[in-house]
Amino acid sequence: MEEKQRKAVHKIQLADRSTGTVTGVKDVNSFDEKEISLVTEEGVLMIKGEELHVTRLDLEKQEIDLAGRVDSLAYSQGIAKAKGGEGMLKRLLG
């Protein structure tokens, strides 16, 4: 019998605009000190701010922790991928 994959719960927890956790993360498109682009269960999430850092990434658990000053969170429709159709981590590790 075939097992159905459960859709991970997408949740954002942000404390004092400086530390946070995002769950339901399928991939990381890109990140730098001003912007983090994540592919989530609910579409592409853009996190913008200053001195942003990914402090923990666990794609198996679909979780990411971040630190820095968060100025905005915005979703775009659909699930876009980075150039070449692969996420940043697949390109780095592949």
Side-chain angles (χ1 to χ4, degrees):
M1 201 163 183
E2 214 176 290
E3 281 188 44
K4 292 184 180 179
Q5 276 191 330
R6 259 184 42 221
K7 182 177 173 181
V9 174
H10 175 56
K11 181 170 58 171
I12 299 172
Q13 293 179 316
L14 187 62
D16 299 325
R17 288 179 57 183
S18 63
T19 59
T21 300
V22 182
T23 63
V25 176
K26 293 179 164 187
D27 202 358
V28 178
N29 277 340
S30 64
F31 64 91
D32 60 33
E33 289 190 345
K34 295 194 179 279
E35 182 176 276
I36 300 172
S37 175
L38 305 173
V39 179
T40 75
E41 293 288 346
E42 299 300 323
V44 177
L45 172 61
M46 299 296 291
I47 303 167
K48 294 186 180 184
E50 296 292 328
E51 299 179 20
L52 295 174
H53 299 280
V54 174
T55 57
R56 182 183 67 90
L57 173 63
D58 188 337
L59 288 179
E60 193 171 299
K61 291 183 180 179
Q62 296 190 346
E63 297 174 348
I64 188 170
D65 290 346
L66 58 98
R69 190 186 84 217
V70 175
D71 293 331
S72 71
L73 302 166
Y75 288 92
S76 61
Q77 294 296 341
I79 297 186
K81 286 287 195 177
K83 292 178 185 175
E86 291 185 344
M88 175 186 243
L89 289 177
K90 286 182 183 175
R91 290 192 316 268
L92 288 173
L93 301 174

